[in-house]
Amino acid sequence: MTNTITIPTSIEWHHDHLLILNQQKLPKVTEYIQLRKIDDFYEAILSLKVRGAPAIGITAAYGLALSAQHYSVNKWEDFLQQFKNDKELLASSRPTAVNLFWALERLEKKIDQCISINEAKTLLLHEAVQIHTEDEETCRQIGEYGLEILTPGASVLTICNAGSIATAKYGTALAPFHLAQEKEQYYKVYACETRPVLQGARLTMWELQQSGVDVTLITDSMAAHTISKKEINAIIVGADRIASNGDTANKIGTLSLAIIANHYGIPFYVAAPSTTFDLAINSGGEIPIEERPIEEVIAIEGVNIAPENSEVFNPAFDVTPSSLITAIITEKGIIYPDFNQNIREILAG
Ligand SMILES: CSC[C@H]1O[C@H](OP(=O)(O)O)[C@H](O)[C@@H]1O
């Protein structure tokens, strides 16, 4: 029996623009924006109108491919120079989510094989659509493996939004819960609000309510108490970059949850597509951690909650050491320690 439910998405390709759901405005306002020029794509990623590692990669791919359609050049070297300029602009939008760089490099590899500018333009658009289409199936598969590892009816805690609107569809950490709704299996999800930008309160609450998932909001500081009092069975989170030893960069606050999970002896799962692994780095210390504007910490929706002249440290991510991770759920299978060995084995599969 399959339940018909609404799983929200945030990216829709039209032949001459990308329509995105403005995630900065949710849940109060459901606003869609057309991205046409390379600067539109850059600004949308930088300002978190589009956010979430896979969604960032998909959006950047469309931005680069669409911009290339308008290069009015005749020489191949001029085409490549403009392509390189646009690629570098998009790559400078955010430093941590490796999916951004993976998508841009995938497009660059695609045109290496081209013999004409027109062929390159066609192939770039085709590759961007491919990246988008592949991600939906990847996330659905992550959801299926997530249902294998999570006990039906469990209470599960998560942070930030690693959901359908952070990907092509379904999400990574939230994929099991959307799929469970389709399969009429049920879970109880606890969502950390996720200061400072509140992706949990604003986006995960909104998204899971759209598909009817039983979700409860807590503040980040309530996590340890909730785990002990509400008998949380597991924690599941997304990822922005996973090193070859399994160290994982994810939204700030994730490391705290891993330490709490370890203290209470509950499993701590990371859910991520193979495109979020960076096998070029050996450990989490090499992952660049984005620091964002102080306004995100000093104010909420433009209302100051701290003195104007406050000193602020605003890292958008932290790194959880692989020793605190029970398993990494990917579309290719569930990866258990020893991560150094098993990551390469499963991803090569
Ligand atoms: C499947 S989304 C992965 C990841 O991206 C989010 O960060 P942001 O909202 O700053 O783009 C968060 O860390 C999610 O877990």
Side-chain angles (χ1 to χ4, degrees):
M1 179 69 186
T2 306
N3 223 348
T4 46
I5 59 167
T6 311
I7 302 175
T9 57
S10 64
I11 298 169
E12 190 176 278
W13 172 243
H14 294 257
H15 69 283
D16 62 352
H17 67 274
L18 188 68
L19 192 66
I20 60 140
L21 172 60
N22 181 356
Q23 297 191 43
Q24 275 291 29
K25 294 272 184 83
L26 285 176
K28 282 183 194 159
V29 175
T30 304
E31 175 187 83
Y32 290 89
I33 297 174
Q34 294 185 9
L35 304 182
R36 294 177 180 275
K37 301 249 182 295
I38 195 76
D39 290 341
D40 300 342
F41 288 84
Y42 170 79
E43 193 281 333
I45 295 170
L46 178 70
S47 64
L48 309 191
K49 290 185 178 73
V50 169
R51 36 89 21 221
I56 291 169
I58 295 164
T59 300
Y62 278 123
L64 186 53
L66 185 55
S67 182
Q69 307 307 305
H70 305 295
Y71 298 165
S72 50
V73 293
N74 300 314
K75 289 183 187 163
W76 182 247
E77 54 269 29
D78 295 340
F79 180 88
L80 285 183
Q81 186 56 59
Q82 289 196 22
F83 181 86
K84 181 171 176 286
N85 296 344
D86 283 348
K87 175 174 175 272
E88 286 173 358
L89 174 67
L90 291 170
S92 70
S93 56
R94 296 186 75 190
T96 305
V98 71
N99 307 61
L100 169 61
F101 310 98
W102 167 83
L104 295 172
E105 281 151 28
R106 177 166 158 175
L107 260 61
E108 188 168 46
K109 283 195 193 87
K110 202 67 195 170
I111 61 172
D112 282 350
Q113 310 144 21
C114 291
I115 52 169
S116 77
I117 289 175
N118 283 340
E119 183 195 12
K121 289 183 176 182
T122 304
L123 282 183
L124 285 169
L125 272 186
H126 179 265
E127 202 65 8
V129 171
Q130 275 294 105
I131 288 172
H132 187 184
T133 309
E134 287 167 10
D135 189 69
E136 176 171 334
E137 177 51 27
T138 293
C139 290
R140 201 194 55 74
Q141 190 54 57
I142 290 172
E144 294 289 359
Y145 281 119
L147 290 177
E148 273 186 27
I149 203 168
L150 293 171
T151 313
S155 293
V156 185
L157 185 138
T158 190
I159 189 167
C160 198
N161 172 263
S164 186
I165 62 174
T167 65
K169 188 178 179 183
Y170 294 110
T172 56
L174 302 187
F177 309 121
H178 288 305
L179 276 193
Q181 285 299 104
E182 286 182 344
K183 300 170 185 276
E184 297 195 312
Q185 296 170 10
Y186 299 102
Y187 288 86
K188 185 165 184 52
V189 179
Y190 287 82
C192 292
E193 64 174 356
T194 319
R195 277 283 281 149
V197 181
L198 300 172
Q199 289 94 330
R202 295 188 303 109
L203 305 178
T204 291
M205 290 305 292
W206 177 84
E207 176 181 320
L208 291 182
Q209 286 175 355
Q210 297 285 307
S211 62
V213 174
D214 176 356
V215 58
T216 300
L217 177 63
I218 63 170
T219 66
D220 302 329
S221 55
M222 293 174 189
H225 181 74
T226 303
I227 287 166
S228 65
K229 296 299 176 198
K230 294 292 182 183
E231 295 173 5
I232 302 293
N233 304 104
I235 295 177
I236 189 166
V237 302
D240 291 82
R241 193 181 302 222
I242 304 172
S244 55
N245 72 342
D247 291 351
T248 296
N250 194 52
K251 185 50 51 199
I252 190 75
T254 303
L255 173 57
S256 308
L257 295 182
I259 293 166
I260 296 168
N262 187 263
H263 173 78
Y264 283 107
I266 63 171
F268 182 85
Y269 299 124
V270 172
S274 48
T275 50
T276 300
F277 287 77
D278 182 357
L279 301 186
I281 59 171
N282 298 318
S283 68
E286 300 168 72
I287 300 175
I289 299 297
E290 177 185 14
E291 291 194 28
R292 293 189 59 84
I294 67 167
E295 289 72 20
E296 292 180 352
V297 177
I298 276 186
I300 292 183
E301 295 188 346
V303 178
N304 271 24
I305 55 167
E308 273 293 342
N309 63 347
S310 301
E311 284 295 318
V312 173
F313 176 44
N314 183 16
F317 302 97
D318 56 29
V319 175
T320 298
S322 59
S323 58
L324 295 177
I325 298 171
T326 308
I328 304 174
I329 305 163
T330 75
E331 75 281 16
K332 298 188 174 207
I334 301 169
I335 307 174
Y336 293 95
D338 170 73
F339 290 123
N340 268 305
Q341 176 190 323
N342 295 337
I343 283 175
R344 290 184 191 279
E345 213 167 278
I346 295 261
L347 295 191

